C-alpha cells in the first residue's frame, strides 16, 4: 500500500498539476492586455506556460524518494513530543508537560507516545511532493522575468512561494492530520483500533465532510507558517554558506532548525484551535466552529491557552527540521553523487 501511494503521488507530480495551479492562481503578467477579460488572460497565460514548459524543473524520482524518506525520519524523531503536545492542547486534564508524559507512560507505556504515527509516515511522500513541488515551481515562476530569463528570487518571492505551498497541501493534510490527532488523543483503543478504522468511523458518523473537520484552522495555520518556514531557511543557509560554495552540514542543520522554530512560533495559536476542533465530538469538547472554539477557549482558560504547546513545538521543531533537511541532503549525495 505504501509503495502504491508513493508511486501514484510521484506520477501526479510528474504531470505537473501544481505547476498548472500556480499559473491559474497568478494568471496576469504585465505583457498580457487586461482589457480582453480574465478568461482570455488565463487562456493566454496558459499558452505562455505550455510554450515555456521545458524551463520548469520536474522533481526526479530519486529526489522524491529522498524527500519521502527524510520526511519519515523527521516524523519518527518528533512524534513522541508531538503526541504530548496534542494532548496538552486538546485536553485540559494535564497540569503540564511532565504530568502529561508521566500519565501517558504509566497508562500506555512507550507505545502511547507513538500513537497515530503510521498514517503520517505512510503519507509523508504525498505531502512532501505537494509542499516542495509547489514551493520550487512557484519560486521558479515568480523568479522569471518578462524576457524568460530567470533572476535570483527575492525574499518576497520565497515567502510567497512558501505560502502557496502551504495552501496547496491543505486539502491533503487536513484528513491526515485529523486521523493522527484522533489517534494521539485517545488514551485507550476503545474508539479507534487504527488509522483505517478511524477513517471508517469518521465517514460513518460524519460523512466525507467529517474528514475535513478543522480544515479552516489548518489553512490559517499552514499558509503563513510555510512562508515563515522557507524564508528563514533560505536566508540563514545563504548567510552561513560562502559565495559559490555548497551549503555545509552546519549551515543545513542551523537553517532547518531555526526555520522550524520560527514557523511553529507563528503556527502555535492556530495549532491549538485546530487540535481542539479535530477532537470535538471524539472525546473532546464540542465546538460550533473556529470562532466559537477561540472564544470559548480564551474565556475559560485565558489568552495563554492559545500558546499551549509552544515550548514543545520549539523544542521539537529544531531537531526534527534539522534532521529532515540533513537526511534529505545526505540521501541526495548517496543517490545522486553527480549532482
Amino acid at each position: 500500500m505504501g509503495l502504491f501511494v508513493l508511486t501514484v503521488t510521484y506520477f501526479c507530480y510528474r504531470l505537473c498539476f501544481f505547476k498548472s495551479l500556480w499559473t491559474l492562481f497568478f494568471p496576469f503578467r504585465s505583457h498580457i492586455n487586461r482589457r480582453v477579460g480574465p478568461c482570455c488572460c488565463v487562456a493566454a497565460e496558459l499558452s505562455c506556460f505550455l510554450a515555456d514548459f521545458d524551463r520548469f524543473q520536474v522533481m526526479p524520482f530519486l529526489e522524491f524518494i529522498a524527500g519521502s524518506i527524510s520526511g519519515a525520519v523527521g516524523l519518527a524523531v518528533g512524534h513522541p513530543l508531538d503526541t504530548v503536545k496534542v494532548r496538552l492542547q486538546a485536553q485540559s486534564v494535564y497540569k503540564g508537560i511532565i504530568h502529561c508524559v508521566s500519565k501517558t507512560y504509566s497508562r500506555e507505556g512507550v507505545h502511547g507516545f507513538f500513537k497515530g504515527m503510521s498514517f503520517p509516515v505512510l503519507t509523508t511522500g504525498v505531502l512532501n511532493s505537494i509542499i516542495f513541488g509547489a514551493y520550487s515551481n512557484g519560486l521558479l515562476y515568480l523568479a522569471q522575468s518578462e524576457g524568460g530569463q530567470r533572476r535570483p528570487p527575492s525574499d518576497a518571492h520565497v515567502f510567497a512561494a512558501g505560502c502557496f505551498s502551504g495552501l496547496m497541501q491543505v486539502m491533503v493534510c487536513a484528513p491526515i492530520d485529523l486521523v493522527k490527532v484522533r489517534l494521539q488523543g485517545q488514551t485507550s483503543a476503545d474508539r479507534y483500533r487504527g488509522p483505517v478504522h478511524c477513517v471508517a468511523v469518521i465517514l460513518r458518523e460524519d460523512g466525507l465532510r467529517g474528514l475535513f473537520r478543522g480544515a479552516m484552522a489548518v489553512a490559517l495555520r499552514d499558509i503563513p507558517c510555510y512562508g515563515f518556514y522557507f524564508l528563514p531557511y533560505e536566508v540563514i543557509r545563504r548567510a552561513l554558506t560562502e559565495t559559490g560554495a555548497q551549503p555545509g552540514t552546519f549551515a543545513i542543520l542551523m537553517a532547518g532548525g531555526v526555520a522550524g522554530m520560527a514557523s511553529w512560533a507563528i503556527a502555535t495559536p492556530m495549532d491549538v484551535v485546530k487540535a481542539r476542533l479535530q477532537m470535538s465530538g471524539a472525546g473532546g469538547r464540542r465546538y460550533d466552529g473556529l470562532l466559537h472554539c477561540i472564544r470559548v477557549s480564551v474565556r475559560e482558560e485565558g489568552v495563554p491557552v492559545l500558546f499551549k504547546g509552544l515550548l514543545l513545538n520549539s523544542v521539537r521543531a529544531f531537531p526534527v527540521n534539522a534532521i529532515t533537511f540533513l537526511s534529505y541532503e545526505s540521501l541526495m549525495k548517496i543517490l545522486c553523487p553527480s549532482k
Side-chain angles (χ1 to χ4, degrees):
M1 181 179 178
L3 181 62
F4 173 76
V5 172
L6 291 176
T7 304
V8 170
T9 306
Y10 174 69
F11 281 106
C12 286
Y13 188 91
R14 294 284 293 188
L15 290 173
C16 304
F17 174 67
F18 298 106
K19 298 187 184 94
S20 302
L21 279 178
W22 179 265
T23 307
L24 289 173
F25 266 81
F26 298 92
F28 307 117
R29 288 185 188 171
S30 58
H31 65 274
I32 296 177
N33 188 346
R34 288 171 173 77
R35 288 177 296 179
V36 299
C39 292
C40 292
C41 286
V42 172
E45 183 61 22
L46 283 173
S47 298
C48 293
F49 175 79
L50 293 172
D52 300 340
F53 185 80
D54 61 328
R55 288 206 302 269
F56 287 86
Q57 296 177 355
V58 179
M59 182 183 289
F61 183 70
L62 292 179
E63 289 189 24
F64 174 78
I65 293 298
S68 300
I69 295 174
S70 63
V73 170
L75 279 170
V77 170
H79 196 81
L81 287 178
D82 187 62
T83 299
V84 177
K85 183 260 301 183
V86 167
R87 293 187 175 190
L88 284 172
Q89 290 177 338
Q91 303 172 22
S92 302
V93 298
Y94 301 107
K95 299 175 183 177
I97 297 172
I98 303 300
H99 183 238
C100 182
V101 171
S102 63
K103 284 291 185 182
T104 300
Y105 181 75
S106 63
R107 292 175 181 173
E108 305 164 68
V110 175
H111 171 73
F113 296 99
F114 291 91
K115 280 187 173 180
M117 190 179 76
S118 60
F119 199 44
V121 167
L122 182 64
T123 54
T124 184
V126 179
L127 289 176
N128 275 0
S129 68
I130 296 172
I131 293 167
F132 289 100
Y135 171 73
S136 61
N137 288 294
L139 198 60
L140 280 170
Y141 184 84
L142 286 174
Q144 285 187 109
S145 63
E146 288 189 16
Q149 297 298 317
R150 188 187 175 195
R151 57 182 184 270
S154 66
D155 290 344
H157 291 159
V158 172
F159 181 78
C163 291
F164 176 72
S165 70
L167 173 64
M168 288 295 97
Q169 57 90 51
V170 167
M171 296 305 289
V172 177
C173 176
I176 295 171
D177 197 63
L178 174 68
V179 174
K180 176 184 76 72
V181 168
R182 290 281 178 94
L183 291 173
Q184 287 176 316
Q186 69 172 5
T187 56
S188 65
D190 295 337
R191 185 171 178 83
Y192 306 117
R193 295 191 295 270
V196 175
H197 182 247
C198 181
V199 171
V201 170
I202 293 171
L203 288 173
R204 185 175 66 246
E205 294 181 351
D206 302 317
L208 185 61
R209 184 179 178 183
L211 286 175
F212 295 91
R213 186 185 295 272
M216 180 59 71
V218 173
L220 292 175
R221 181 196 67 173
D222 286 356
I223 293 173
C225 173
Y226 277 102
F228 286 105
Y229 178 69
F230 284 106
L231 180 58
Y233 178 76
E234 295 288 353
V235 170
I236 294 170
R237 189 183 64 167
R238 191 165 58 237
L240 295 177
T241 304
E242 294 182 7
T243 304
Q246 292 295 318
T249 300
F250 179 75
I252 294 170
L253 285 172
M254 288 301 297
V258 173
M261 293 178 67
S263 62
W264 273 111
I266 301 295
T268 296
M270 200 51 62
D271 191 52
V272 174
V273 177
K274 173 199 70 71
R276 296 192 168 203
L277 286 172
Q278 289 174 331
M279 285 299 295
S280 178
R285 178 170 182 170
R286 283 195 172 274
Y287 297 101
D288 295 332
L290 188 143
L291 294 178
H292 180 248
C293 179
I294 296 174
R295 187 168 60 250
V296 170
S297 298
V298 171
R299 184 176 67 240
E300 295 183 353
E301 302 175 60
V303 174
V305 69
L306 296 177
F307 296 93
K308 269 189 172 183
L310 176 59
L311 177 61
L312 273 176
N313 276 336
S314 300
V315 170
R316 179 177 64 95
F318 192 96
V320 166
N321 289 279
I323 290 171
T324 298
F325 276 104
L326 184 62
S327 299
Y328 175 80
E329 296 292 345
S330 300
L331 284 167
M332 286 306 299
K333 288 179 182 178
I334 295 171
L335 297 173
C336 304
S338 61
K339 286 197 72 174

